Amino acid sequence: MTVFHFFNCAILTFGPHAVYYSATPLSEYDTLWTSIKAAVVYLFTALVKLVCLATFLNVSESESDNFDPYQELLKALFGFIEVAGLYFALTQLTHRNISQNHKFQAVGLGWAFADSVLHRLVPLWFGARGLEFTWDYILQGLEANANLVFSISLAALGSLMWLRKNKPKTLIPIIYACAGIVATMPTIISYLRRGLGWHLPKVVGFELFSSLLIAFISWQLFVACQRPSN
């Protein structure tokens, strides 16, 4: 029963990445190598971010469950290291002859998969196989799905910021504002958990709703920027 629970949680956590790749044109254009290179870039930027957090943050055990605005501000600033890594993945990596639509999806998919492996695989392996059933790892899988949507949305917004030259000027502030919200989402989630005391199901529900909202806005912005300017 414990192994069955582990596999269910693992499929919920990592399955949507495979489904997205196979159900979209990404598989037809063989963009797997692009996703792998984006995942490697994410792992490197995550290492740099971890070193910065370990160097500049000083959080005691008594403060680990409290929301410290100064510490969270530093975390948000260091979170933009990942934005820099995403910029590198979108603009500097060599890609096959794929369109901008497929490029940002492949990069976002690899980015999200690497994040799930780095932050969720080990807790899932040691926790979901426990003798006592818990909903935490099912919620963790749903959280990974929200992160997948966030990552692809941020990659889409990044492609508009850094690759799309002839975008309408009226949409530029909206694009940057949405990208800023997605980039600081970990700090927002931390505030909801530690500052407001939200429980995990409520937090995951917020993440799912906000990820779908950001995805819809990003899609509308992407469509609007593809229209020919008058």
Side-chain angles (χ1 to χ4, degrees):
M1 185 65 180
T2 56
V3 176
F4 181 72
H5 178 55
F6 165 75
F7 278 112
N8 281 339
C9 294
I11 291 173
L12 180 61
T13 302
F14 301 104
H17 302 78
V19 171
Y20 187 92
Y21 180 82
S22 61
T24 60
L26 295 181
S27 58
E28 300 177 7
Y29 289 91
D30 193 21
T31 59
L32 182 60
W33 184 238
T34 298
S35 296
I36 292 175
K37 289 189 290 186
V40 172
V41 173
Y42 172 84
L43 293 176
F44 177 77
T45 56
L47 177 62
V48 174
K49 179 181 175 182
L50 181 62
V51 171
C52 292
L53 291 175
T55 302
F56 295 99
L57 262 67
N58 183 19
V59 181
S60 63
E61 293 183 1
S62 60
E63 296 176 346
S64 59
D65 293 332
N66 298 324
F67 183 84
D68 187 340
Y70 173 73
Q71 301 282 0
E72 295 299 331
L73 178 61
L74 285 179
K75 290 181 183 179
L77 291 176
F78 290 138
F80 281 92
I81 295 175
E82 295 184 3
V83 178
L86 187 63
Y87 169 83
F88 180 84
L90 285 171
T91 62
Q92 302 301 317
L93 289 182
T94 56
H95 304 277
R96 296 186 56 183
N97 294 327
I98 57 177
S99 66
Q100 183 180 354
N101 296 13
H102 300 136
K103 180 188 296 184
F104 82 78
Q105 292 182 72
V107 170
L109 182 62
W111 203 264
F113 184 78
D115 178 84
S116 293
V117 170
L118 184 62
H119 295 102
R120 297 176 176 87
L121 181 59
V122 173
L124 190 64
W125 176 256
F126 287 103
R129 297 186 304 140
L131 296 178
E132 184 178 353
F133 174 82
T134 175
W135 286 95
D136 290 348
Y137 300 101
I138 296 178
L139 294 173
Q140 177 180 279
L142 295 175
E143 199 172 27
N145 295 339
N147 182 70
L148 171 62
V149 179
F150 277 132
S151 298
I152 295 178
S153 298
L154 183 58
L157 295 168
S159 69
L160 293 179
M161 290 187 295
W162 304 316
L163 302 178
R164 178 72 61 176
K165 302 302 181 182
N166 57 342
K167 50 185 173 286
K169 293 183 179 180
T170 55
L171 297 180
I172 294 178
I174 303 176
I175 295 172
Y176 278 85
C178 290
I181 292 174
V182 178
T184 56
M185 188 57 65
T187 300
I188 297 174
I189 298 302
S190 178
Y191 174 72
L192 295 178
R193 286 180 174 174
R194 301 177 180 179
L196 299 183
W198 283 21
H199 295 295
L200 184 58
K202 192 175 181 180
V203 172
V204 173
F206 171 81
E207 289 183 272
L208 291 172
F209 173 78
S210 57
S211 66
L212 293 176
L213 180 61
I214 289 293
F216 177 77
I217 296 174
S218 302
W219 174 58
Q220 293 295 327
L221 290 172
F222 203 88
V223 171
C225 290
Q226 285 187 318
R227 294 171 185 159
S229 58
N230 296 328

